[in-house]
Amino acid sequence: MICPSVAVNWKIAERDMKMPGLFDLTGSTALITGSSRGLGFAFAHALASHGAKIVLNGVNAERLDSAAAALSEKGYAVEKALFDVSDEKAVVEAFKVFDVQGLAIDILVNNAGIQLRKPLVDLELHEWQKVLDTNLTSAFLVAKEAAKRMIARNKGGKIINIGSLTSECARATVAPYTTAKGGIKMLTRAMTAEWAKHNIQINAIGPGYMATDMNTALMNDVKFDSWVKGRTPSGRWGLPDELAGTAVYLASKASNYVNGQIIYVDGGMLAVL
Ligand code: GCO
């Protein structure tokens, strides 16, 4: 038997849940790192289509311009921020520019990432460092600047870190990437431990094998392609837009009591032996 007070609250909550605004991001500003193409652009498009103002980021001005044009042609509000997320000075400077521009980042998607496929015994320290800096340290640097401002504004916020299947399982030849993505899972929880009390929700998405530029070489490799199709219960590669719903959910008030989680969108690969 639900105790009366909970019953009443549940009734009210039930009514609220019907409100269409649950996934509405109007009035919010979202920074998506590494968003001039691939998964990053798909996240930007998804959040824009639910009302968020978008700040695209990348290190290639041309690609950033064309990504911004693609979104503004659809009538979405979009800004560009050309900076290297693994460079601390550049990150601090970028947020100072946001402050001057009056851009209050209340949704951050830490998506920027690179891949490098090489056996560990052949890996150079600078190669290892480059992947860890771009895929893990960058999430710390950018989130630190964003969270400091979210806490100061005292209006809460959303941080979405992009993990991977390799946040859970390893595959030969991608050790630095795997280590970084494992770190992303635990960094998400560390951020939750410190920032959840400020009404900031920090969660992660773990994409499976998605059909992106980063995976073109794997998709063109007949043996690997058939391994992915055979190993994935859905029997196919995922499409970047198939991450959209999860990103909007984690960016919206629908996830206001969800914190420190990683949601795998992988066609069931991690669920089945
Ligand atoms: C690889 C791939 C993977 C995917 C993805 C899987 O070399 O195995 O690049 O890392 O990109 O991260 O979740």
Side-chain angles (χ1 to χ4, degrees):
M1 209 291 290
I2 294 183
C3 70
S5 65
V6 174
V8 172
N9 290 344
W10 172 241
K11 280 262 162 292
I12 292 166
E14 220 177 289
R15 191 180 62 243
D16 285 351
M17 287 301 171
K18 291 203 179 71
M19 298 289 286
L22 203 55
F23 297 96
D24 183 8
L25 305 177
T26 305
S28 62
T29 300
L31 166 65
I32 302 99
T33 66
S35 48
S36 58
R37 62 178 174 172
L39 300 188
F41 184 76
F43 291 133
H45 189 196
L47 301 184
S49 63
H50 283 72
K53 176 174 188 165
I54 299 299
V55 181
L56 291 173
N57 158 259
V59 288
N60 177 303
E62 235 173 277
R63 267 207 300 268
L64 208 52
D65 290 347
S66 62
L71 289 182
S72 40
E73 266 154 33
K74 289 177 181 265
Y76 299 131
V78 58
E79 302 282 344
K80 292 173 284 183
L82 187 72
F83 69 94
D84 176 353
V85 291
S86 66
D87 174 342
E88 184 175 26
K89 277 205 189 66
V91 172
V92 169
E93 198 43 47
F95 274 82
K96 284 186 183 153
V97 172
F98 294 155
D99 296 342
V100 171
Q101 294 172 323
L103 275 176
I105 305 296
D106 34 36
I107 299 169
L108 166 63
V109 181
N110 274 315
N111 167 77
I114 56 174
Q115 179 60 287
L116 185 147
R117 303 186 180 102
K118 200 176 192 182
L120 268 167
V121 290
D122 304 331
L123 206 59
E124 303 296 336
L125 174 58
H126 69 86
E127 293 171 321
W128 166 274
Q129 207 58 66
K130 176 88 179 135
V131 176
L132 270 288
D133 287 352
T134 308
N135 294 21
L136 179 59
T137 306
S138 67
F140 153 64
L141 293 173
V142 180
K144 174 185 169 187
E145 294 309 310
K148 281 195 299 190
R149 290 162 173 80
M150 289 173 181
I151 293 167
R153 285 194 300 269
N154 195 21
K155 291 204 182 92
K158 302 278 183 179
I159 297 176
I160 304 169
N161 296 323
I162 304 307
S164 156
L165 295 167
T166 59
S167 297
E168 300 289 343
C169 302
R171 179 178 90 73
T173 75
V174 289
Y177 183 95
T178 301
T179 309
K181 293 300 186 180
I184 283 285
K185 176 181 168 187
M186 293 316 293
L187 179 59
T188 299
R189 295 180 177 176
M191 290 174 179
T192 296
E194 295 192 21
W195 299 337
K197 63 178 175 284
H198 300 287
N199 190 25
I200 302 173
Q201 288 80 49
I202 309 99
N203 294 287
I205 298 174
Y209 277 98
M210 311 302 284
T212 60
D213 297 353
M214 181 193 271
N215 291 332
T216 305
L218 301 178
M219 297 168 78
N220 295 339
D221 174 327
V222 178
K223 209 158 141 258
F224 197 95
D225 176 57
S226 65
W227 173 77
V228 168
K229 288 172 178 162
R231 180 70 186 73
T232 308
S234 300
R236 62 175 175 84
W237 292 77
L239 303 171
D241 288 348
E242 292 180 305
L243 299 167
T246 308
V248 171
Y249 164 63
L250 292 177
S252 73
K253 63 175 187 269
S255 58
N256 278 1
Y257 197 55
V258 180
N259 231 321
Q261 303 305 309
I262 181 162
I263 302 177
Y264 289 100
V265 183
D266 65 354
M269 189 183 257
L270 282 178
V272 176
L273 287 177

